[in-house]
Amino acid sequence: QVQLVESGGGSVQAGASLRLSCTSAEQRLTSYAIGWFRQISGQKREYVATISRSGGQTFYTYSVKGRFTISRDKRQNMVFLQMNDLKPEDTAVYYCAAGEFTSEFDDYTSWGQGTQVTVSP
């Protein structure tokens, strides 16, 4: 288990950009693949993107391809989700998670507390 902390959420208009950050004060994030998920209230948590331990592999859900970029900064022990051209349907609470390099919820063993992203038309 690793304690994860997300930051960078906010309220923006459609077409704007936000960068979410995920870090841990206790463990090196390079020990894990890191994924981003999002959840709208009352709905199932949805997979967004994953980055491998080395940072050499990434994977995205179709709806964010070409708009979102996941990356690592090993020196800062952080993982980022750069979100460009945001759409109202991107509105959700975004969570980072540590685990395996998959899109499966159950393969992630540690989760952050979430950060709210709200995109207005």
Side-chain angles (χ1 to χ4, degrees):
Q1 293 279 333
V2 54
Q3 286 199 323
L4 301 172
V5 178
E6 303 98 333
S7 61
S11 297
V12 297
Q13 290 192 317
S17 298
L18 282 173
R19 188 177 78 160
L20 306 183
S21 300
C22 175
T23 192
S24 171
E26 304 165 344
Q27 293 191 35
R28 297 295 302 171
L29 293 186
T30 49
S31 298
Y32 307 91
I34 301 295
W36 286 95
F37 289 73
R38 62 189 182 187
Q39 187 170 25
I40 299 170
S41 180
Q43 297 187 20
K44 186 179 174 182
R45 200 166 291 189
E46 174 192 32
Y47 170 77
V48 176
T50 308
I51 190 164
S52 63
R53 288 171 176 80
S54 69
Q57 290 179 284
T58 58
F59 188 76
Y60 301 89
T61 194
Y62 179 79
S63 62
V64 308
K65 274 185 182 178
R67 299 190 299 123
F68 290 12
T69 302
I70 188 170
S71 62
R72 283 186 183 269
D73 185 323
K74 295 177 183 179
R75 184 177 57 83
Q76 295 188 66
N77 197 37
M78 299 183 81
V79 172
F80 303 104
L81 185 68
Q82 177 68 42
M83 306 186 296
N84 298 331
D85 189 24
L86 282 161
K87 305 178 186 299
E89 52 264 40
D90 295 318
T91 296
V93 177
Y94 283 71
Y95 298 87
C96 70
E100 299 302 319
F101 185 66
T102 78
S103 59
E104 297 298 323
F105 177 90
D106 290 339
D107 289 331
Y108 291 86
T109 55
S110 299
W111 294 81
Q113 82 290 349
T115 185
Q116 176 70 46
V117 171
T118 302
V119 185
S120 56

